[in-house]
Amino acid sequence: MDTLREIFGPNFLLRNSLYISLLVGLACPLVGMYLILRRLVFMGVALPQVSSCGIALAFALHAGGLIPHIPSAGHTLTDERTLAFIGSTALTLPAILLLSVLTRRTRGSVEGLLGTAYVLAGAWGMLLLAANPMGEHGLLDLLKGQILAITNEDLARTAATFGLAIVVLWIFKKEFLLVSFDREMAVALRKNALLWDSLLFLIIGLAISVAVISVGPLVAFGFLLIPPLTAHLFARNMRQFAVLSAGIGVGAALAGFCLAYRHDLPPGSTQVALLGVLYGLAFAAKQIRSKLTPVGRAS
Amino acid sequence: MNDPNLLTLEGVAVGYGRLILLEHLDWSLPRGRFVGLLGANGSGKSTILKTLLGILPPLAGRLTFHPINGRPPVLGYTPQRESLDPVFLLTSLEVVLMAACSRIGPGRPINKAERAWAQECLKETGAADLSSRLFSQLSGGQKQRVLVARALATRPDFLLLDEPIAGIDAAATQAIMDLLRRIHEEQHRTILFVSHDLTTVRHYAEEVIWLHEGRILHGPARELLSREKIEEVLHLEAR
């Protein structure tokens, strides 16, 4: 309780880090729901890695003089994050569109395709980092998700992007659900399934780009997938699925931040570890419940 | 004046990518018929259906839907049940409400009238009591009733069903086919259903399109599925 009072106090120095954790905890599971529903869990692994590679590429191009200096009130940290945002978005959005088209066309070998994207993005990210003379400095922190150095501008940009993603997912949920659940029906109803698919993947890609810059690929992946996987064990309809996913995400973000602050641990890793514990407990509870439920007769 | 035919195929070839499965499809489908599309597994039945629906483009020829009162006919579709992923936590009512996407613009919420219509369609197919149950947890026959309700909820001029009786028991098969016959008789809708079950097609369909070893036979069910004709097509007398 004391920790909660302290971190929500007006003078708490890391309040932007807390807010960004809560934003990631809220938005990433809502985006990740569609990765679970469309059985694209591996995309949730590959895309944060592609996003990291985009950040490394942007910094390499900047160091080579191919991307000019980005003026932003002379704030070095903000300059870096703007550059990271450009690099991450520029690579993630085309990658998600390309992967979504390829996964539809290459039946049965989706995992191989996404696995290849994951390792290639990882390898290129490291190569670009190694070739960059300033690579060992702020860039490495960015790729790891430097959650403790969040400026007001970062927070505003993250909040605006996640807000946009949540609003678009909410407004067009019936169209996104239709093309995800039964694409053939959507085509029969003369809906432009490709357009709706593209919009959905653009929103997912944008949210992942921002999440990776804010908290790094590991934490972004954790919040994209573990809360919806946990929620899916107990939810009885799509509304419960969304509410439970977001609730688990926000709860784990807050509890993980408190634990990390109290015990001087890295917050992102603590939050993901906590999500893992929650998933394990939920899975065990589900198994026990199904064992205890008497066998019924189908109606 | 409306054309008496709902659709016409002229030299149509169907298939996937560059692979042609069937070609030289030339037939017209008059309105208000109850048609069975019969054939063995892999004969191209579902490919024809998907081409009619616009899911696959015809690889050659011309496929024309004739307008009804100046507008293109509305298609109601029921896919094969197994193609719908159980990971979606959708109730039966939510599945039926998807049909409302044909009338309600993007981003606009589903209104009370559409909900009432979806409930009405569930009632019509004898699935009113399933509306709040998860679609993924229904039996094969129950799922089929919900999918027929969804197709009806689009207010279709042409109802297309992909293997509506595959994998369900005899009682459920009869219930589904009786339901389709009733819809056809009472609402005068054109219905095309895909099946590999010769007995069911012969019992229920007025007209048959039979795909057999690359041949396409088309005619009244009574003639095309007579004992003599079946023996002739299947070369049974030679065995």
Side-chain angles (χ1 to χ4, degrees), chain A residues 147-245:
Chain A
I147 196 174
L148 298 179
I150 305 289
T151 66
N152 287 339
E153 276 184 45
D154 296 335
L155 185 63
R157 180 166 50 209
T158 307
T161 310
F162 283 161
L164 174 74
I166 291 172
V167 166
V168 172
L169 288 178
W170 173 255
I171 289 179
F172 297 118
K173 65 177 186 298
K174 78 175 188 300
E175 284 77 20
F176 290 147
L177 271 176
L178 175 65
V179 293
S180 301
F181 178 66
D182 191 351
R183 197 171 199 275
E184 293 181 350
M185 164 84 168
V187 175
L189 294 179
R190 300 194 172 92
K191 295 281 157 190
N192 190 336
L194 183 65
L195 176 82
W196 289 110
D197 267 348
S198 302
L199 180 61
L200 176 61
F201 284 122
L202 278 174
I203 290 298
I204 293 173
L206 196 62
I208 288 176
S209 298
V210 171
V212 168
I213 296 165
S214 304
V215 293
L218 172 81
V219 182
F221 169 57
F223 277 97
L224 277 169
L225 297 180
I226 305 177
L229 280 173
T230 310
H232 196 270
L233 294 170
F234 297 103
R236 299 287 303 158
N237 54 49
M238 293 302 292
R239 184 171 298 199
Q240 280 183 19
F241 186 30
V243 171
L244 270 176
S245 296

Side-chain angles (χ1 to χ4, degrees), chain A residues 36-39 180-182 232-233 235-238 241 286, chain B residues 80-91 95 134-138 143:
Chain A
I36 306 285
L37 291 175
R38 299 188 69 137
R39 303 207 180 254
S180 301
F181 178 66
D182 191 351
H232 196 270
L233 294 170
R236 299 287 303 158
N237 54 49
M238 293 302 292
F241 186 30
K286 172 92 174 176
Chain B
Q80 293 187 23
R81 294 183 308 281
E82 293 74 20
S83 68
L84 301 174
D85 197 329
V87 77
F88 285 81
L89 301 167
L90 294 163
T91 63
V95 169
L134 276 183
F135 179 76
S136 58
Q137 292 179 356
L138 302 181
K143 279 183 181 173

